Amino acid sequence: MQPFLFDRADSVTEALRAAPDATVVAGGTNLVDYMRLGVVSPKHLVDINGLSQETAALGRITLDHQGLRLGALVRMAEAEDHPGIRARYPVLADSLALAASRQIRTMASLGGNLLQRTRCEYFREASWPCNKRRPGSGCAALDGLNRQHAVLGTSDACIATYPGDMAQALLVLDAQVELTGPRGVRLVPVAKVHRQPGTTPYLETTLAPDELITALVVPASPWSWRSRYVKVRDRRSYAFALASAAVALDLESGRVKQARIALGGVATVPWRAEAAEAALVGKPLDEGAARVAADAAFAGARTRAHNAFKVPLGQEVLVQALLQAGALQPPPPTSRNGVTHA
Amino acid sequence: MGAPVARIDGRLKVTGQARYPADTPLHNLAHAVMVTSTIARGRIRSLDTTAAAAVPGVLLVLTRDRAQGQLTAPKFGTGGSTSIQPLNEERIWHDGQMLAIVVAETQEAAQEAADLVAVTYDHDTPSAGFDTSGVEIVAGAGASPMYPEDPKAGDFDTAFKAAPVVLDATYNTAAQHHNPMELFSTTAEWNNGRLTVYEPSQFVAGWRAQLAKQLDMDAANIRVVSEYIGGAFGSKGPMTPRTAAVALAAKLVQRPVRCVCTRAQGYTTATFRAETRQRIRMGAGRDGKIRAFSHEGWELTSRPDDYVVGGTETTARLYAYGAVHTKVQLVKADRNTPGYMRSPPETPYVFGLECAMDEMAEKLGLDPVEFRRVNDTQADPVSGKRYTSRSLMRCYDEAAAAFGWQRRLDAGVWKTGAMRDGDWLVGLGCATAVYPTQVAPCAARVRLTADGKALVQTAAHEIGTGVRTVAAQTAAQALGLSVEDVTVEMGDSALPAGPVAGGSVSTASVCSAVLKACGGIRDKLYRAATINSGPPATPESFTLRDGMAVLDSGRSAPLSALFQKLGTTQLEDYAEFAPEGSAPGAVEQLRQGNPGIMGGAKGPVLMYAFGAEFVEVRVHARTGEIRVPRMVGAFAAGRIMNPRTARSQLLGGMIWGLGAALHEMTEIDPRRARTVNRDLQDYLVPVNADVEGVEVILVPETDTEVNPAGVKGLGELGNVGTSSAIASAIYHATGRRLRDIPMRLDKLLQLQQT
Ligand SMILES: Cc1cc2nc3c(=O)[nH]c(=O)nc-3n(C[C@H](O)[C@H](O)[C@H](O)COP(=O)(O)OP(=O)(O)OC[C@H]3O[C@@H](n4cnc5c(N)ncnc54)[C@H](O)[C@@H]3O)c2cc1C
Ligand code: SF4
């Protein structure tokens, strides 16, 4: 760990002024950890936690007939506990509840969660070659221990898994990210935030260096209640996904009208499985249809020495998520926070 | 059985008041950070400290150049974790080897400077382990004084060839690290040529002796203090080279110095449990009697040091096998030297054996419990020596009843995949737990004051097992006091010499010494009581009870009256206990750092504690996820001094076994021989959600032969056998044999694919 400058920003403008050369820190559960490990050594750190005082919206959850707005500084635990989110967007509440530990979720912000960096072991120890950490140095994972690594969206330069859970839930809810920068505010679909490694694994997102995430915006949808997050890991709690699936289904008399499917733990970015979605449309939701979708989801998988199991595992996880979502019952018409269900 | 007294230091620990060695407040303390290698084999070409030394606040960068001639390399196997002192070395023997120690005014400055030490290397291609080229294989027998020969009996080859039912299988156990919650640390302070080291240690007497040799000084001028220890499990048993190096650093900067290792550094600068590979061949008659047993083990060790696990020492004697063949081989690779970790030999080797027992029972179509019964023995098949006591089948019977083993028998004992609950396949399994009963020399001082309070002093170690509490109970009972009236001081080499906290010797050794010292005090009180009163009806009828001395039914006197008679306010006794058969001067030897552990299979009789563990697993039919909703263990370990702390040790052991079965593994990159998972995010241990029902049954057993306290140590018994019980249950659930631990879902999925 090397010395760095530490500032607290009291306003978004102030944070943005520092932003191009500074790194913002929210909960710090990812960034500070990686600073200690010597993975990143920012020269200037700007703490944005004070912003939720100036701009209350950054720390607030708003749920109404238009949908859900989550300030970037809302803590994972706050969103996970919210009764309206649990009722109307169960996939989101579950993806949070199944992540990390309650202690970490109490610190960690939603903005930071979306931007958390890979857990690739070779990335996290600074002395290994790693194209993501040190461009052009090579990838130690390609022919190393790669049990955790991705099978979808990989390149010859990097096979690191995107580790988070919430992003998959946001994908199946058609969520957008609100970005604020010196040029104003823009909304970007969650699907457009992360970049596959290609030949430039060190470029991870489409955010400009001077942009902040200020909110996550989830539209209202009549079928978002029929959504589910299934996560399989090496132990029952407090571990990253080996494979996970977020699904949201619009069913009409047992047949799939629309489906949203996203996969976690198996891909380099939060992975929307559009081919699998298409395979389901018009079909009755049964095991057979779910399997066809699962095959489609992994059709392009490329495995390495130790991660081939992620293909059958990811398929099983997806089948489960689909069947479980299909069996869900709608929530009572009024949720506890008084918002009428659309 | 003793009383289930709560830990006397429990409140201190859970309220943060217990002072661990790195908490010791010291005036003018400087902070140290280690610099470690990023290659596993080669030489240091250059080590540039210019930038590091320029960091404001840096006091010293201790490298090979500065250390020259001031540190004597340790000897392996005599209390040192390795034979190398890295600060004397140009050679890199393993990943994460200590290269330098940076000392600064603050932790931050030391850390910053440590990152700036620029090292270049001449690389050699390292060998990572079993399956990489360049390893050297040597015989285990004779490589260590602890393992003189491979146990053998009869003609295995002939018996195996003739056996109608045979098994030949290979098992693998993973490398594991102890990961005690408390990080490794050394704090060294000099005072007029006298050195005090505060460091979590399982053997302060031994470390003092080690430090004297490595720093070339008189042991009388060294004190090692380790009052509380935040978990050790063997990792803080042998002293690592850091301790002497930090002491040297403190000498050079003329200030107290503290070095707290990072979690990652703990993986390479201390010891670990290395991986093993085992081949078992077993032949049996149709009657279920084993006629031939061969257990071969390959154990990984480092290039410079021959660490021998040698679990065949126990497995060769566990059942009535007929002919026995064993062979241990060491596979030397470019890794740091392994060492003791909770039941070092038994955990890996009994995993292999008990998995094989399950497989053989299936070949024979026998209930696995009955298969053990058919081959139960009260004598060692190798030497013919008898076990002092062995309640293995009683443990099986009690655990089986409590667990509901009958469920499996009713479903057809070898019908796999038959018990299903929705998507979950249910399986039941069992295995034997076994651990040698050992005891070591120990000295203790006990002081009783006229106000009815006692002080117990011994340089033994409270590593979390509850031995401090048990020592207090022992003294309280012997002196007729309540536990609250007894204070226990431990973990300081200035106290009477205590045993290494290893081999599960502490309770038996400490209690034997404390009993002896209390006996001395009792004798003095007895003489006082009989002044003007005449002797009691029988010598035995003199007892100390509730602060009174009872001569016999009619006569008793308060302790204070006896002290008055003696004209003193305190009585003290120092006692030395040495196990039967010890060489003369065993306690003096202990002071020199020789633990003198006796028992197990070493003496004229076999001393072992036994248990039986039953587990239920649920395996997800689609994903291969493995869960363990229930574990029941029954254990017989002689006299139980405190059922509460005993239960906690066994329960913790079984949970540890669950972790070994399903989670734990140190991953070594095969190309670079470097540890890849070096923190508790990647190195998985069970969390609360993984542990559901765990039940411990203490089976009564009396054994007056093992030691004066009648105690069989049980700190390392609970985790032996657990992983094989889980493997057996997984097989019952799925029909798939997993022969390697950890058993993770990818292994099941792989089997499903084929
Ligand atoms: C042991 C462990 C286990 C974990 N397990 C899981 C798990 O199972 N599932 C899971 O999903 N996560 C898991 N996590 C990750 C955890 O969820 C993230 O660390 C956390 O969500 C990050 O949030 P934060 O606020 O602490 O981010 P920080 O650490 O503060 O920041 C993370 C990154 O985001 C940037 N950033 C933060 N806020 C903004 C913003 N508003 N605008 C722009 N950039 C921003 C920072 O600059 C930094 O690069 C685990 C973490 C640990 C340590
Ligand atoms: S997979 Fe990516 S992050 Fe991991 S070592 Fe390779 S380049 Fe680095």
Side-chain angles (χ1 to χ4, degrees):
Chain A
M1 198 160 177
Q2 291 297 303
F4 56 89
L5 199 69
F6 182 79
D7 270 336
R8 275 200 192 90
D10 294 326
S11 68
V12 174
T13 344
E14 206 182 302
L16 288 177
R17 203 170 321 120
D21 308 307
T23 303
V24 298
V25 59
T29 60
N30 187 221
L31 183 62
V32 177
D33 189 12
Y34 283 15
M35 286 170 68
R36 285 180 187 282
L37 293 174
V39 176
V40 288
S41 307
K43 291 269 168 286
H44 186 180
L45 220 56
V46 176
D47 176 357
I48 57 170
N49 289 296
L51 297 189
S52 53
Q53 263 121 49
E54 186 236 14
T55 321
L58 255 76
R60 195 189 290 151
I61 301 174
T62 335
L63 180 62
D64 58 24
H65 62 278
Q66 290 184 323
L68 171 67
R69 188 191 154 89
L70 298 157
L73 291 173
V74 168
R75 306 293 143 170
M76 290 169 76
E78 293 173 297
E80 150 197 0
D81 289 347
H82 193 282
I85 297 178
R86 297 180 90 93
R88 288 173 55 184
Y89 304 99
V91 67
L92 179 57
D94 288 349
S95 73
L96 291 166
L98 293 173
S101 65
R102 182 72 187 189
Q103 287 90 331
I104 290 178
R105 301 199 297 273
T106 304
M107 272 306 275
S109 70
L110 299 184
N113 182 283
L114 190 63
L115 297 187
Q116 66 176 290
R117 306 191 66 191
T118 185
R119 311 304 292 196
C120 168
E121 299 93 329
Y122 298 103
F123 171 74
R124 280 179 30 235
E125 162 51 44
S127 56
W128 287 100
C130 169
N131 289 325
K132 193 187 271 300
R133 191 172 18 74
R134 208 158 8 107
S137 61
C139 169
L142 277 177
D143 297 315
L145 299 178
N146 44 34
R147 180 174 180 269
Q148 314 281 350
H149 287 74
V151 295
L152 294 167
T154 59
S155 74
D156 293 340
C158 178
I159 54 171
T161 305
Y162 173 77
D165 290 301
M166 177 186 70
Q168 283 74 245
L170 293 176
L171 277 183
V172 301
L173 297 172
D174 294 328
Q176 295 187 301
V177 177
E178 182 191 273
L179 297 175
T180 305
R183 294 164 299 283
V185 177
R186 61 180 181 125
L187 282 174
V188 175
V190 170
K192 294 254 151 62
V193 170
H194 294 88
R195 299 160 71 131
Q196 291 187 29
T199 54
T200 56
Y202 46 91
L203 299 177
E204 292 178 351
T205 72
T206 55
L207 267 69
D210 57 358
E211 276 182 319
L212 281 186
I213 298 182
T214 38
L216 307 172
V217 182
V218 190
S221 137
W223 42 280
S224 62
W225 62 267
R226 189 185 286 288
S227 63
R228 184 88 186 137
Y229 191 70
V230 172
K231 174 177 177 180
V232 169
R233 38 192 163 171
D234 273 322
R235 64 183 173 199
R236 282 189 75 179
S237 172
Y238 202 12
F240 288 93
L242 292 170
S244 71
V247 301
L249 296 174
D250 182 6
L251 293 186
E252 206 172 63
S253 30
R255 279 179 191 274
V256 179
K257 246 177 96 186
Q258 287 188 76
R260 295 280 183 281
I261 296 175
L263 305 175
V266 292
T268 52
V269 293
W271 189 264
R272 174 100 180 257
E274 275 161 340
E277 294 171 2
L280 282 174
V281 173
K283 305 253 173 60
L285 184 75
D286 56 20
E287 170 122 19
R291 289 216 167 268
V292 172
D295 284 345
F298 284 86
R302 280 178 32 183
T303 62
R304 309 290 308 182
H306 307 290
N307 65 0
F309 75 98
K310 285 198 170 185
V311 173
L313 180 66
Q315 289 172 334
E316 293 299 344
V317 168
L318 176 53
V319 169
Q320 270 193 70
L322 287 168
L323 296 179
Q324 289 176 13
L328 287 176
Q329 295 302 313
T334 315
S335 63
R336 266 216 284 146
N337 65 352
V339 177
T340 306
H341 181 57
Chain B
M1 205 181 285
V5 175
R7 281 156 201 268
I8 57 178
D9 48 9
R11 176 176 291 270
L12 284 181
K13 286 186 175 177
V14 298
T15 55
Q17 292 176 75
R19 189 175 278 169
Y20 294 88
D23 301 332
T24 313
L26 291 171
H27 176 65
N28 204 25
L29 181 70
H31 299 266
V33 169
M34 274 197 290
V35 180
T36 53
S37 74
T38 57
I39 68 163
R41 182 183 167 122
R43 275 167 204 285
I44 303 173
R45 186 190 303 154
S46 68
L47 200 153
D48 183 354
T49 61
T50 326
V55 170
V58 169
L59 303 167
L60 169 74
V61 185
L62 180 59
T63 58
R64 196 163 64 98
D65 292 345
R66 283 298 301 270
Q68 210 139 54
Q70 298 172 83
L71 295 169
T72 304
K75 275 210 182 74
F76 177 69
T78 57
S81 67
T82 168
S83 60
I84 63 164
Q85 167 49 262
L87 290 186
N88 294 349
E89 299 267 330
E90 176 188 54
R91 181 154 174 193
I92 308 289
W93 294 93
H94 62 83
D95 172 36
Q97 177 176 316
M98 178 170 76
L99 302 178
I101 294 177
V102 181
V103 185
E105 294 286 351
T106 62
Q107 175 73 30
E108 290 74 17
Q111 182 64 63
E112 181 188 351
D115 288 351
L116 295 175
V117 172
V119 189
T120 60
Y121 305 98
D122 291 322
H123 296 251
D124 286 333
T125 306
S127 308
F130 291 155
D131 299 315
T132 43
S133 63
V135 295
E136 187 194 341
I137 299 182
V138 300
S144 147
M146 312 257 289
Y147 192 78
E149 59 184 6
D150 292 314
K152 278 192 183 64
D155 179 353
F156 167 78
D157 287 331
T158 309
F160 185 66
K161 270 195 211 102
V165 184
V166 294
L167 169 82
D168 185 344
T170 301
Y171 305 90
N172 284 285
T173 64
Q176 299 171 344
H177 274 78
H178 318 74
N179 281 302
M181 189 115 70
E182 179 196 26
L183 295 169
F184 297 102
S185 73
T186 306
T187 304
E189 183 185 32
W190 290 86
N191 221 319
N192 297 324
R194 298 171 72 91
L195 169 67
T196 307
V197 168
Y198 303 89
E199 177 165 345
S201 165
Q202 292 172 254
F203 194 24
V204 290
W207 288 28
R208 180 178 55 182
Q210 278 286 322
L211 278 169
K213 285 186 197 131
Q214 293 181 32
L215 295 168
D216 191 19
M217 52 190 287
D218 183 353
N221 290 329
I222 301 173
R223 185 175 161 207
V224 180
V225 185
S226 177
E227 198 183 350
Y228 288 93
I229 302 166
F233 316 114
S235 67
K236 294 161 183 172
M239 196 177 87
T240 69
R242 180 191 65 251
T243 308
V246 172
L248 174 60
K251 192 176 187 177
L252 294 174
V253 300
Q254 300 184 13
R255 285 170 65 167
V257 171
R258 170 170 303 151
C259 176
V260 180
C261 300
T262 63
R263 177 63 67 189
Q265 288 173 339
Y267 284 79
T268 57
T269 58
T271 61
F272 68 105
R273 190 201 297 284
E275 56 268 41
T276 72
R277 181 164 291 167
Q278 301 164 43
R279 179 182 183 203
I280 294 186
R281 282 171 294 163
M282 201 184 269
R286 303 244 172 251
D287 56 358
K289 286 217 157 60
I290 303 169
R291 296 180 188 168
F293 169 63
S294 166
H295 199 166
E296 291 168 88
W298 291 264
E299 308 170 355
L300 183 121
T301 190
S302 67
R303 296 274 184 203
D305 305 314
D306 291 344
Y307 173 74
V308 186
V309 178
T312 43
E313 200 51 274
T314 290
T315 58
R317 307 169 203 283
L318 195 47
Y319 298 107
Y321 301 113
V324 176
H325 164 260
T326 67
K327 185 169 181 182
V328 166
Q329 284 176 283
L330 306 182
V331 179
K332 292 163 81 82
D334 299 296
R335 299 266 296 277
N336 49 318
T337 304
Y340 309 111
M341 180 162 156
R342 203 171 189 175
S343 20
E346 285 72 23
T347 301
Y349 277 82
V350 173
F351 167 72
L353 169 56
E354 288 299 294
C355 285
M357 289 296 284
D358 198 64
E359 297 197 39
M360 195 59 169
E362 184 189 18
K363 284 180 187 283
L364 292 161
L366 279 176
D367 169 0
V369 175
E370 289 316 304
F371 181 49
R372 268 106 178 169
R373 197 185 311 278
V374 168
N375 292 288
D376 191 28
T377 177
Q378 295 293 329
D380 173 4
V382 175
S383 66
K385 295 180 210 167
R386 70 184 165 85
Y387 284 93
T388 56
S389 59
R390 169 168 160 135
S391 311
L392 176 64
M393 292 322 297
R394 263 195 79 187
C395 292
Y396 265 106
D397 291 339
E398 293 211 16
F403 179 76
W405 181 246
Q406 194 59 39
R407 266 206 298 159
R408 174 161 167 181
L409 303 184
D410 292 344
V413 64
W414 287 110
K415 224 166 123 213
T416 58
M419 293 166 70
R420 196 173 173 138
D421 179 7
D423 270 345
W424 293 93
L425 302 167
V426 179
L428 311 179
C430 63
T432 296
V434 57
Y435 192 78
T437 296
Q438 302 178 122
V439 61
C442 178
R445 189 184 298 119
V446 176
R447 184 188 302 152
L448 176 67
T449 46
D451 58 357
K453 307 250 188 247
L455 173 69
V456 175
Q457 296 179 312
T458 175
H461 314 80
E462 173 56 272
I463 56 171
T465 55
V467 68
R468 187 181 265 122
T469 306
V470 166
Q473 282 179 274
T474 304
Q477 197 177 11
L479 300 173
L481 307 175
S482 64
V483 175
E484 298 78 60
D485 290 327
V486 183
T487 305
V488 181
E489 291 178 1
M490 284 186 172
D492 184 338
S493 65
L495 300 171
V500 60
S504 296
V505 302
S506 287
T507 296
S509 317
V510 168
C511 292
S512 296
V514 170
L515 276 176
K516 202 167 165 189
C518 290
I521 291 180
R522 188 179 165 280
D523 289 348
K524 290 173 196 166
L525 289 171
Y526 173 74
R527 281 195 294 277
T530 52
I531 301 174
N532 310 330
S533 301
T538 63
E540 292 76 41
S541 62
F542 177 75
T543 50
L544 299 172
R545 207 185 310 138
D546 304 330
M548 304 281 284
V550 183
L551 220 49
D552 45 39
S553 53
R555 294 171 296 165
S556 65
L559 283 183
S560 53
L562 300 187
F563 275 91
Q564 231 159 28
K565 273 193 188 178
L566 289 166
T568 181
T569 54
Q570 59 178 50
L571 284 175
E572 193 174 280
D573 198 82
Y574 168 86
E576 295 187 347
F577 161 78
E580 225 180 285
S582 296
V587 171
E588 182 48 36
Q589 280 292 310
L590 176 63
R591 275 186 216 106
Q592 312 287 328
N594 181 359
I597 294 178
M598 307 282 289
K602 287 190 209 98
V605 278
L606 295 195
M607 304 181 183
Y608 279 86
F610 293 89
E613 297 186 18
F614 286 73
V615 299
E616 176 176 335
V617 303
R618 294 163 78 83
V619 180
H620 197 277
R622 295 176 187 273
T623 61
E625 285 163 278
I626 303 165
R627 294 182 178 171
V628 180
R630 239 181 119 213
M631 305 197 276
V632 176
F635 305 92
R639 180 165 170 215
I640 302 299
M641 302 300 275
N642 180 333
R644 186 163 170 161
T645 52
R647 175 180 174 276
S648 156
Q649 282 298 296
L650 293 164
L651 188 116
M654 288 165 77
I655 294 169
W656 178 302
L658 185 155
L662 303 182
H663 305 123
E664 284 191 57
M665 173 171 193
T666 307
E667 320 230 15
I668 308 296
D669 184 280
R671 303 159 299 176
R672 302 284 189 92
R674 298 190 62 197
T675 308
V676 165
N677 56 344
R678 308 185 309 159
D679 60 32
L680 291 173
Q681 186 236 294
D682 282 326
Y683 187 99
L684 297 180
V685 296
V687 294
N688 279 333
D690 294 302
V691 183
E692 298 180 63
V694 190
E695 193 183 325
V696 172
I697 300 166
L698 296 169
V699 176
E701 184 182 66
T702 307
D703 188 330
T704 51
E705 268 183 274
V706 280
N707 51 61
V711 166
K712 291 181 172 180
L714 47 68
E716 297 171 87
L717 179 60
N719 60 313
V720 180
T722 319
S723 46
S724 24
I726 292 174
S728 131
I730 291 172
Y731 178 72
H732 181 228
T734 63
R736 292 165 211 284
R737 287 273 177 209
L738 295 183
R739 297 188 178 91
D740 306 339
I741 51 171
M743 298 174 281
R744 293 179 174 168
L745 59 82
D746 39 337
K747 292 183 185 155
L748 273 180
L749 282 173
Q750 250 155 28
L751 287 177
Q752 257 155 28
Q753 301 297 299
T754 51

